[in-house]
Amino acid sequence: MDPITLVTDRLLLRPAEPGDVDAVLAACQDPGIQRWLPVPSPYEREHAEEYVLKIIPAGWREDRQYDLVLTDLESGALVGSAGVGRTAGPEERVRSVGFWTAPGHRGQGYAGEAVAALARWAFTELGADRLEWLAQVGNEGSRSVARKAGFTMEGVLRSRLIHRGVRRDAWVASLLPSDLGLAPQVPYGARATYPARTAG
């Protein structure tokens, strides 16, 4: 798939460019990003170059991970990154969402704004019927973003993630097309009904 560009009230969500390497390198020095996300630690320039120049383009080219950088419409400053990825086969129509915000740009609603735009794109252009958000239990900042973007918290998945060589519990939440007033590709039966069991 060819990379896309999205525009929100305050952000330009666009494909990564070589000029983004320095900003990504600076952002990923943040202890919070290294605490919660599966990025290398210590985070070196070679890691930023690989992410910007290889990993992001490969995800689009292979039609499996659709990451964009978030830049401020007025200043052009890189404020973070967000993306949608595959979690199952195409017929499942389930995608995941992930994001990070650079220090100095947090608490301003940028991540939520970007996730909302990506969610609408995933439902209308990718044919997704469910978006999932996962984060380590304790990552309150990420959970706050998911909630503000309309995700419904569903619970805790035990031993779901591996971080720094240790299995971690994860929070999970979902967003459905109907949460945004959109129709799903496949009809959704919210409650399954089963025939009554008989004794005997």
Side-chain angles (χ1 to χ4, degrees):
M1 176 179 286
D2 292 329
I4 52 102
T5 298
L6 300 173
V7 180
T8 69
D9 289 343
R10 299 178 297 164
L11 296 172
L12 174 65
L13 286 68
R14 61 166 175 77
E17 301 171 351
D20 297 320
V21 169
D22 287 342
V24 169
L25 175 61
C28 290
Q29 302 307 308
D30 175 59
I33 288 178
Q34 296 192 21
R35 165 67 179 86
W36 298 113
L37 299 182
V39 299
S41 181
Y43 196 89
E44 308 288 354
R45 184 174 186 81
E46 64 191 71
H47 301 129
E49 290 175 343
E50 182 177 24
Y51 177 65
V52 170
L53 304 177
K54 295 180 181 179
I55 293 175
I56 292 180
W60 285 93
R61 187 172 57 250
E62 296 165 10
D63 199 22
R64 57 176 173 76
Q65 181 68 35
Y66 317 103
D67 287 339
L68 298 168
V69 295
L70 320 178
T71 59
D72 184 282
L73 274 176
E74 291 187 3
S75 69
L78 187 143
V79 303
S81 179
V84 172
R86 292 188 180 276
T87 61
E91 71 284 352
E92 301 279 338
R93 299 185 182 276
V94 178
R95 302 290 184 265
S96 63
V97 64
F99 50 86
W100 56 263
T101 308
H105 298 286
R106 294 176 184 152
Q108 301 178 57
Y110 288 130
E113 192 172 316
V115 168
L118 278 169
R120 188 167 289 276
W121 173 75
F123 291 140
T124 58
E125 301 299 325
L126 288 183
D129 275 342
R130 174 182 166 92
L131 274 183
E132 291 181 342
W133 162 88
L134 289 176
Q136 284 187 61
V137 169
N139 190 346
E140 295 288 354
S142 185
R143 182 163 71 165
S144 177
V145 170
R147 281 180 164 159
K148 289 176 181 175
F151 281 72
T152 296
M153 296 296 136
E154 296 181 338
V156 175
L157 301 177
R158 297 186 304 157
S159 190
R160 174 60 177 81
L161 303 173
I162 297 177
H163 187 69
R164 311 287 181 228
V166 177
R167 298 207 70 94
R168 307 283 185 181
D169 294 346
W171 283 323
V172 61
S174 68
L175 186 72
L176 306 181
S178 57
D179 297 329
L180 302 182
L182 301 171
Q185 301 292 319
V186 178
Y188 172 40
R191 297 284 189 275
T193 57
Y194 302 94
R197 295 183 64 183
T198 57

